[in-house]
Amino acid sequence: MVSWGALITGSSKSGSSFQSLQLFERMTLEGLQPDEVAFSCAVKACSRNDLLKDGMLMYNMIVKNSFDSNVVVANSLIDMFSKAGCLNEAQKVFTTVHVGNVVSWNAMITGHVQHGNGLRAVELFEEMQQKGVPPDKATYGCILRAFSSLGMLEEEYLVHSSFIQSGLISDTILANTLVDVYSKFGRLDDAYKVFNDMPFRDVVSWSAVVGGYAHHGNNHKAFELFERMKREHIEVD
RNA sequence: CCGACUCUGACCCUA
């Protein structure tokens, strides 16, 4: 038998979040009790498109059914509220899972960065470590964005050095983030150095570095890189 | 046991 959770997940991957929610609704109308996986999928569906109203209803159902103590369900809610800018709601859910896990922290940090509170994001970054939750790649990506939003270039350099120390610099997504962040600071030389040292470059790496030169008026360099991009083999997923 | 959560460029949208 195929579970409803799997159906909802499948539909949200190949189809619309709207379809996922319809499936979820059908499931409950048929008197079936959604499990924690169905709830997390349904919440994720609500985090797209402006479906926060549905998300609030979902939150109520989740609390009623005591699924809010499930860390993955809670993390989906935190992410949904964070992205929508409802950081008080996000914090409320976060509190119910106590320390949660690294994803809980990352979702909170992302929310603050995206809604103009980079300082709070940095505080959370420090707090999680005090509470014994080690940051992961996603955390570092968020924190690069936080420092960027705060205009803290020196801190970017420090995080960058730590990536070189730890080997995280070979992560394509983090390196791409660094390229973009340095570009936005106008540090095209630093951006290019990160780009040039990357073991694997994807289309995002190229776009970020070309975009940096173009945005800062170095059209010649941008064009040159663009030509090189066409010449070299680029792996696109 | 299986299915669920968080990080990257441009475009688009908004302003």
Side-chain angles (χ1 to χ4, degrees), chain A residues 38-113:
Chain A
F39 273 121
S40 63
C41 294
V43 170
K44 191 182 167 80
C46 294
S47 68
R48 306 188 255 269
N49 290 347
D50 280 350
L51 294 170
L52 187 64
K53 296 234 159 45
D54 300 270
M56 283 300 308
L57 294 175
M58 205 64 75
Y59 180 36
N60 289 334
M61 280 181 79
I62 287 167
V63 171
K64 250 177 219 152
N65 292 281
S66 306
F67 280 120
D68 53 334
S69 56
N70 175 289
V71 71
V72 177
V73 173
N75 290 344
S76 308
L77 286 165
I78 293 169
D79 178 59
M80 176 185 74
F81 286 132
S82 281
K83 297 225 163 101
C86 304
L87 290 157
N88 291 335
E89 296 295 332
Q91 178 64 49
K92 199 159 98 187
V93 180
F94 186 55
T95 304
T96 70
V97 286
H98 304 106
V99 175
N101 62 20
V102 66
V103 177
S104 325
W105 290 87
N106 292 344
M108 287 300 302
I109 290 172
T110 303
H112 282 106
V113 172

Side-chain angles (χ1 to χ4, degrees), chain A residues 6-20 23 48:
Chain A
L7 260 184
I8 294 170
T9 313
S11 75
S12 65
K13 277 184 180 148
S14 59
S16 65
S17 47
F18 188 64
Q19 196 175 35
S20 305
L23 274 167
R48 306 188 255 269

Side-chain angles (χ1 to χ4, degrees), chain A residues 167-230:
Chain A
L168 272 182
I169 192 64
S170 63
D171 181 86
T172 303
I173 294 182
L174 287 179
N176 287 346
T177 308
L178 269 175
V179 170
D180 180 56
V181 156
Y182 281 138
S183 291
K184 296 210 163 107
F185 272 109
R187 302 309 313 239
L188 302 179
D189 44 353
D190 292 309
Y192 185 76
K193 178 155 180 31
V194 174
F195 172 81
N196 200 49
D197 291 345
M198 288 176 74
F200 304 103
R201 301 178 193 97
D202 61 13
V203 66
V204 176
S205 325
W206 285 95
S207 300
V209 76
V210 170
Y213 282 113
H215 190 77
H216 289 88
N218 195 336
N219 293 330
H220 181 73
K221 186 88 180 174
F223 185 72
E224 190 184 300
L225 275 166
F226 184 68
E227 287 300 309
R228 202 180 123 200
M229 174 170 79
K230 287 196 291 193

